[in-house]
Amino acid sequence: MKSKWWLEWVIGTGLILLSISHWFPLGIGPLELLGAFAHFTVILSAISIFLSLIYKLRSVAISALVSLCISGALVLPHFSSLHSSGQSDFTIGQFNFYHHSLTPEKGIEVIDADIFTIQEMNDDWKPLIEKAFATTHPYQVVKPWEGCCYGIGLYSKFPILSSHVIELDRTPVIIAEVDINGNHVMVISLHTRPPVAPNETPERNAQLMAVAKMAAASANTCIVLGDFNIVPWDATFKDFLKAGDLTPVRDGFQATYPMDLGFPLIPIDHITYRGNLVGTSSNTITIPGSDHRGMVVGFAFKD
């Protein structure tokens, strides 16, 4: 009887502490990684409630319900639908091709966006991709990367009026001013450092905040997109949006990574904006040979 009580206490307390840690990871690497999978804590809590009711484990059921409320409050708002039926003035896409992919030509075939960025661009792909889009997307800014995995490219049907590539903590970031039917839009594309081995969470956070400040300082309408290596319910991502006065576009959960199991688990690719725009659509696309799904968002100008 005593051992059963201890087991219930451990399970119940463990669920509550796990859900709380998603809100307050305290800068601890393993807890931050667990937080990226907070939606699974929601599922685990729901299953625990169901099993507890079957086996009459009242204390576990109560603890699991508390855990469900805590983790659900963090994650579930990010499952909301876009609810937009407006027409798009243009589309913009984010595609992480995966540096070690052996079939970039198959990835090229699925790209369908007026403006798009490719992450993990390497020297071998550069001429192949440039040639494939030379006619349809003649305006290009490309910074390949010899090693893994921070090469980047920006391709546009619309004129790129100016552009430059800066380096944030050994990582290239493209900043371009694009003329979209007479509207000047700043496009910033980046691929942040990852919060995994080696744990570069501080570098990632600093990159995001630096780009947020650039977006906030821009007099033009601005779009910031890329592989941010962060989930939308992470406190740092919320700080990034606030600092840049940015709004994310996502239609429901739309996970993009990893594709190793054939389906993604977490949403770490993002398209955000500020200024004279409204998001009209958001879709994810399978990229053959990549460990990410691509993301394409439609925008309309407000005026």
Side-chain angles (χ1 to χ4, degrees):
M1 194 73 177
K2 187 176 181 180
S3 60
K4 180 184 176 182
W5 182 88
W6 272 107
L7 180 62
E8 289 186 41
W9 186 87
V10 169
I11 294 174
T13 303
L15 281 172
I16 292 175
L17 291 177
L18 177 62
S19 59
I20 291 174
S21 75
H22 300 331
W23 283 87
F24 308 103
L26 304 176
I28 301 172
L31 291 183
E32 291 193 350
L33 287 177
L34 275 175
F37 298 88
H39 47 307
F40 288 101
T41 300
V42 175
I43 297 171
L44 178 62
S45 299
I47 293 174
S48 298
I49 293 172
F50 176 73
L51 293 177
S52 298
L53 293 176
I54 291 178
Y55 292 102
K56 299 180 179 179
L57 304 175
R58 183 180 177 184
S59 62
V60 174
I62 294 172
S63 298
L65 179 60
V66 173
S67 174
L68 178 66
C69 293
I70 295 172
S71 55
L74 179 68
V75 174
L76 295 182
H78 300 280
F79 282 73
S80 59
S81 298
L82 185 58
H83 295 306
S84 176
S85 58
Q87 295 296 312
S88 301
D89 290 323
F90 68 97
T91 55
I92 187 165
Q94 150 64 18
F95 298 89
N96 185 319
F97 264 32
Y98 180 54
H99 183 88
H100 299 295
S101 173
L102 301 177
T103 57
E105 66 281 354
K106 292 184 179 179
I108 289 171
E109 293 175 359
V110 305
I111 293 178
D112 184 15
D114 297 321
I115 306 168
F116 64 89
T117 185
I118 290 180
Q119 311 293 341
E120 303 202 16
M121 169 78 69
N122 63 38
D123 290 302
D124 294 334
W125 301 350
K126 182 176 181 288
L128 176 69
I129 297 172
E130 286 181 344
K131 181 179 179 181
F133 295 101
T135 301
T136 59
H137 297 71
Y139 306 98
Q140 305 182 357
V141 183
V142 184
K143 180 66 175 179
W145 201 261
E146 291 184 8
C148 184
C149 303
Y150 298 99
I152 193 169
L154 178 68
Y155 303 81
S156 175
K157 291 181 178 180
F158 304 105
I160 294 178
L161 303 178
S162 64
S163 67
H164 57 287
V165 180
I166 65 171
E167 196 167 290
L168 287 178
D169 198 6
R170 314 179 317 280
T171 307
V173 176
I174 291 177
I175 304 170
E177 184 179 354
V178 185
D179 183 346
I180 304 176
N181 300 325
N183 298 278
H184 291 194
V185 178
M186 175 184 282
V187 177
I188 304 177
S189 176
L190 73 154
H191 181 185
T192 68
R193 293 280 165 171
V196 293
N199 186 349
E200 297 179 284
T201 300
E203 290 83 354
R204 178 203 66 186
N205 295 350
Q207 289 171 328
L208 287 172
M209 294 310 294
V211 168
K213 291 178 181 177
M214 293 178 203
S218 171
N220 294 330
T221 293
C222 185
I223 296 174
V224 182
L225 73 165
D227 176 357
F228 293 178
N229 276 313
I230 195 169
V231 292
W233 52 85
D234 190 293
T236 298
F237 184 75
K238 297 174 184 177
D239 291 341
F240 160 76
L241 295 177
K242 183 178 180 179
D245 190 25
L246 294 161
T247 300
V249 183
R250 193 174 296 276
D251 191 3
F253 187 58
Q254 292 190 314
T256 58
Y257 176 86
M259 288 296 290
D260 303 83
L261 299 175
F263 54 89
L265 300 176
I266 54 177
I268 62 172
D269 295 83
H270 303 275
I271 298 178
T272 67
Y273 72 96
R274 66 181 295 271
N276 188 38
L277 290 173
V278 61
T280 55
S281 64
S282 178
N283 298 287
T284 59
I285 300 169
T286 298
I287 308 170
S290 177
D291 55 350
H292 285 248
R293 282 180 67 84
M295 189 173 186
V296 177
V297 165
F299 282 109
F301 292 101
K302 292 180 182 177
D303 297 335

